[in-house]
Amino acid sequence: MAELKSVAEAIDGKQVILVEDCTEANAQPLLKHFAFNAASKGSEIHLLCFDQTPSTWLKDMPATVCSQVKKYDCFSDPLGWESCQPCAEDAASTTGRRLQCSNGADFEKRIADGLNASRGSSLVIVDGLSTMLRWQTAAWCCRWLRRMASTRCAASSSGADSADHMCRVVVSLHADLLSETDLLPLRHVSSARLSLSAPPVSSIQVNTFSSTLGARDTVSMCELTVVRPSGKIMRETILFAVSQPLVLKTVAYNATVDGVGPASNGAAPDPTANLTFNLRLTNQQKEARSNVVLPYTQVRKRHDRSVTNGPATGKLGGSGGGEIFYQPDDADDFDEEDPDDDLDI
């Protein structure tokens, strides 16, 4: 398997990227790196926040990135109990409206209108899709993600290369809060999946990687799964950390170095060791087994000998036919009467 150089390189060009985090590893620093990387390339960013307000999410982001972000507040009023007006913090933005998660049709239409009006490539960041699954099914979310990923902005209709005006979707969710029934469809529609977890404790590789980072940088483990266009699946486990200013640092993780995986240079473990019974034969037992003549072997030898030497009279296997000799047994019960005597023929 060819090594995947970095997360950003591995997911480049993928339409739907699924990031599964947990309580021990937060996906938000990784999402901010994706936003920073897309903004540096001139892409427009559409930010959907389900776990916090967009202003809180963008609080420590550079101003150059925030100016390229269209904010969608899915956190403040998900059920539409309040009036659907622009948020106070996003009052200057026409797309900074509070979206109702319970109204799937209106929710999807507002986001589609924003994507269709975009010029150039777009990156949609969905932070906390687990919350959306409270009101919508996993099947609806899969269809919605695929429709967003297939969106082409208005600039692509002017004759420009459609590859330069593609829409990529990065989705984060809390995998430890969802069942396999919800996770499997979302994994199926994604072309790249990043499963985050805490690194092993007292790991040699983690300690070595941490020594190259800053004091505030946190190391996490990521199991990266990428589906190639040919259908081939590439997997790699890496250690990563997002350091300031939102720079992603990665290193490949080898479980055998920490003694977690199977040893590569040692002897293979013997499954027959430490058993209360013996599964192996001694040399004497093997010799005795080889001297046993099996019944079908005798019949086969006699048949081959009869074919070679010609027909034998009264012997088994002769081509001239054989005879059946019957020796009555003392226990046999013979009835001298005619069994058909009562028939009137």
Side-chain angles (χ1 to χ4, degrees):
M1 178 188 300
E3 287 192 2
L4 303 174
K5 298 302 180 182
S6 66
V7 176
E9 178 184 346
I11 67 174
D12 189 25
K14 304 302 178 185
Q15 289 185 319
V16 180
I17 303 157
L18 185 64
V19 183
E20 302 177 3
D21 66 358
C22 57
T23 55
E24 294 84 7
N26 190 5
Q28 195 170 117
L30 196 59
L31 298 182
K32 291 183 177 181
H33 164 75
F34 292 152
F36 179 79
N37 191 36
S40 63
K41 297 180 181 180
S43 300
E44 190 173 65
I45 302 170
H46 298 259
L47 177 63
L48 284 72
C49 292
F50 289 90
D51 294 339
Q52 56 187 338
T53 60
S55 61
T56 304
W57 199 92
L58 296 169
K59 183 171 57 177
D60 54 351
M61 296 286 286
T64 54
V65 177
C66 296
S67 61
Q68 298 177 241
V69 176
K70 289 186 177 181
K71 300 176 282 288
Y72 301 85
D73 187 1
C74 311
F75 170 76
S76 299
D77 190 22
L79 298 180
W81 290 349
E82 302 177 10
S83 59
C84 190
Q85 297 295 330
C87 303
E89 61 211 14
D90 302 324
S93 175
T94 57
T95 58
R97 289 183 177 272
R98 296 176 178 176
L99 300 183
Q100 300 179 21
C101 301
S102 57
N103 190 346
D106 181 72
F107 179 89
E108 185 176 0
K109 181 179 181 303
R110 289 175 180 269
I111 298 174
D113 292 342
L115 291 176
N116 292 329
S118 300
R119 297 189 175 275
S121 59
S122 300
L123 174 66
V124 180
I125 297 179
V126 182
D127 183 23
L129 187 66
S130 310
T131 306
M132 186 67 176
L133 290 172
R134 298 178 184 174
W135 301 286
Q136 302 295 338
T137 63
W140 184 93
C141 293
C142 291
R143 290 192 296 267
W144 169 55
L145 294 176
R146 295 299 298 176
R147 280 193 287 264
M148 281 197 302
S150 60
T151 301
R152 290 293 182 266
C153 61
S156 63
S157 61
S158 61
D161 186 7
S162 61
D164 298 332
H165 303 89
M166 61 182 300
C167 177
R168 288 191 301 161
V169 183
V170 179
V171 184
S172 73
L173 52 82
H174 311 308
D176 48 0
L177 298 181
L178 301 178
S179 64
E180 288 293 326
T181 305
D182 294 330
L183 284 175
L184 290 179
L186 295 171
R187 291 172 178 173
H188 179 73
V189 299
S190 62
S191 51
R193 177 165 58 92
L194 293 83
S195 300
L196 308 186
S197 61
V201 181
S202 303
S203 171
I204 301 175
Q205 297 176 86
V206 173
N207 295 335
T208 304
F209 183 51
S210 300
S211 62
T212 63
L213 305 174
R216 301 180 59 184
D217 299 336
T218 303
V219 180
S220 299
M221 179 175 288
C222 172
E223 183 179 345
L224 179 61
T225 304
V226 179
V227 181
R228 297 289 178 84
S230 61
K232 185 178 181 180
I233 300 177
M234 309 293 292
R235 288 188 177 91
E236 185 179 7
T237 303
I238 61 175
L239 300 174
F240 77 93
V242 179
S243 58
Q244 297 299 328
L246 298 176
V247 177
L248 179 64
K249 297 181 179 180
T250 63
V251 63
Y253 178 76
N254 188 1
T256 59
V257 175
D258 296 329
V260 179
S264 57
N265 54 356
D270 186 6
T272 63
N274 301 325
L275 294 178
T276 57
F277 52 89
N278 189 15
L279 291 179
R280 300 183 182 276
L281 296 178
T282 62
N283 295 332
Q284 183 179 3
Q285 291 172 337
K286 292 180 180 179
E287 184 179 356
R289 182 183 62 179
S290 62
N291 293 331
V292 174
V293 180
L294 301 178
Y296 65 86
T297 307
Q298 288 182 319
V299 174
R300 181 66 182 176
K301 288 181 179 179
R302 283 186 291 180
H303 174 72
D304 295 340
R305 187 166 54 249
S306 64
V307 172
T308 304
N309 301 332
T313 304
K315 301 293 184 180
L316 181 63
S319 58
E323 294 179 276
I324 300 177
F325 298 95
Y326 176 69
Q327 180 68 30
D329 190 73
D330 295 337
D332 291 341
D333 183 16
F334 286 95
D335 190 0
E336 300 294 341
E337 296 182 359
D338 185 5
D340 298 331
D341 188 44
D342 58 337
L343 298 178
D344 186 13
I345 298 176

